[in-house]
Amino acid sequence: MNKMPLFFVIVVAIIVVAASFRFVQQRREKADNDAAPLMQKRVVVSNKREKVLSDRRSRQQIVAPAGSSLRYDVSFRPENGGLEMTFRLNEKQYHQLTVGDKGMLSYKGSRFEEFTADH
């Protein structure tokens, strides 16, 4: 009888530690991005992806689809060669871009700031 409450206390403690670690990690990433210099590169939009984010399990989706939200990722390839960079954008920014667009990418650390297409 005594082992069951101890087990739940340990599980709750692990969840709290994991959540705290993730929170600190996100705060550190935000601070690093804020402190990073604004970088600009000539790039080509190489890929766009929409990912459905759902708070329901797959079996629940079949029965009653949720009002799912989407995550928008865009990849940019430097014109003069180099590693492809992927950023998370909001819906408006995402839909303004087309694969193959060329222009100037502005970013701070791992945060997308702006893409100005060539005309």
Side-chain angles (χ1 to χ4, degrees):
M1 195 77 173
N2 194 17
K3 289 187 179 192
M4 196 59 104
L6 179 62
F7 175 74
F8 287 121
V9 168
I10 290 172
V11 169
V12 168
I14 290 171
I15 291 170
V16 167
V17 168
S20 299
F21 178 77
R22 182 68 181 138
F23 176 76
V24 169
Q25 187 179 31
Q26 287 174 337
R27 299 297 292 172
R28 186 175 299 135
E29 181 180 356
K30 183 180 182 325
D32 290 347
N33 286 339
D34 289 342
L38 180 65
M39 302 292 291
Q40 293 186 319
K41 282 189 181 179
R42 301 250 343 124
V43 296
V44 176
V45 177
S46 57
N47 197 6
K48 291 174 61 175
R49 291 175 299 285
E50 293 181 19
K51 181 175 181 183
V52 176
L53 300 177
S54 175
D55 58 349
R56 293 185 175 189
R57 297 182 185 182
S58 61
R59 187 168 288 190
Q60 290 174 320
Q61 288 278 19
I62 293 169
V63 175
S68 302
S69 60
L70 296 172
R71 183 177 84 195
Y72 302 96
D73 294 330
V74 177
S75 297
F76 299 92
R77 186 182 71 246
E79 283 186 352
N80 57 0
L83 295 175
E84 187 173 81
M85 298 172 284
T86 302
F87 296 96
R88 187 161 299 147
L89 279 62
N90 65 38
E91 183 178 7
K92 181 181 177 190
Q93 294 166 327
Y94 177 86
H95 289 298
Q96 290 175 343
L97 300 176
T98 304
V99 173
D101 283 351
K102 294 182 180 183
M104 186 66 70
L105 170 68
S106 301
Y107 61 98
K108 288 180 80 169
S110 62
R111 181 189 310 138
F112 173 86
E113 293 291 326
E114 178 183 31
F115 178 78
T116 307
D118 295 341
H119 291 97

